[in-house]
Amino acid sequence: LQDRCRLACQKGALATGRLKAIPSRGSLLEMRDSDYISCLRFWLGLPLMVLPDGAFAKCPACGDPADTFGDHFLCCRLNGLAERHNALRDEILDVCNKSGIAARAEQGCFEDTRDADLLLVGWCKGRSTAVDFTVVHPLGPSHWPLRLEDAAREMKAAESRKVAVAEERCRFAGWTYTAAAFSPWGMPGPSGKGLMQEIGRRAVASLAGWEKTRRQLQINEGISVTLQQQIARQLSLRYRVL
């Protein structure tokens, strides 16, 4: 079931963009060989660490058990979750900036809040939209048992949890609000998918033909590779496991 869940999460343009990207240092679409191998094993569901049957290693960051497939490293709160989140946010902000979409990072309805990882100015009928990003790992930290539909359900649930916390506050401030969840492979939740489709549509609205197609591919590739670079960084924690 884990393999079926993993396969389901690797469908769609944002999940497969990494496979189409041509490595380029100038456009930041480059991954080190060791990082790519780590990600490849993770994508295929192959063990990243060799451990005795049923054994768990100790996570160097938090001390909790770390499974052989590296799932714990992507959930560990002491292993760069903020950096992963911010890299994804910054890549999408860059897409907006290059496409003439007015957007600002880390905005709050009030002075002491940060309700919008990304604020899309005048996005919906003249009203700004606060976007809250999150990366959710549906397999969990230790390969716990799951049903196939849990992946999509968990993505939707993660978005709903975000909405419950901040939507009313944003409405009071005159903003609309959306939560955008992504899996570590790049599959977005339902709200995230709708958001990225609309950003993509607006980003290429002034283009036509091959230029339009190529720009959309570049957007998908950039987001996908950025996320996988962060996944590789998190998985590299396995080299510190004794």
Side-chain angles (χ1 to χ4, degrees), residues 110-207:
F110 308 101
E111 289 186 3
D112 58 345
T113 64
R114 285 293 181 269
D115 307 287
D117 291 326
L118 198 65
L119 183 67
L120 301 173
V121 181
W123 182 256
C124 181
K125 297 180 180 180
R127 298 174 67 191
S128 296
T129 294
V131 181
D132 195 353
F133 295 108
T134 185
V135 180
V136 180
H137 188 21
L139 289 184
S142 300
H143 252 46
W144 58 45
L146 79 169
R147 296 181 298 274
L148 176 62
E149 63 269 20
D150 279 357
R153 182 186 298 147
E154 176 58 23
M155 304 293 287
K156 184 176 181 179
E159 292 178 338
S160 297
R161 289 192 293 269
K162 291 279 188 179
V163 169
V165 171
E167 184 178 40
E168 187 63 29
R169 187 164 58 237
C170 288
R171 185 183 296 117
F172 183 80
W175 297 349
T176 60
Y177 177 88
T178 188
F182 294 82
S183 78
W185 299 274
M187 181 189 81
S191 296
K193 181 177 181 180
L195 172 72
M196 295 313 302
Q197 287 177 337
E198 182 61 17
I199 288 178
R201 186 189 69 79
R202 298 191 189 194
V204 301
S206 61
L207 304 176

Side-chain angles (χ1 to χ4, degrees), residues 1 13 27 52 63 87 104 129 143 180 203 208 219 225 230:
L1 288 179
S27 59
R104 298 197 296 267
T129 294
H143 252 46
I219 292 171
V225 172
Q230 293 300 312

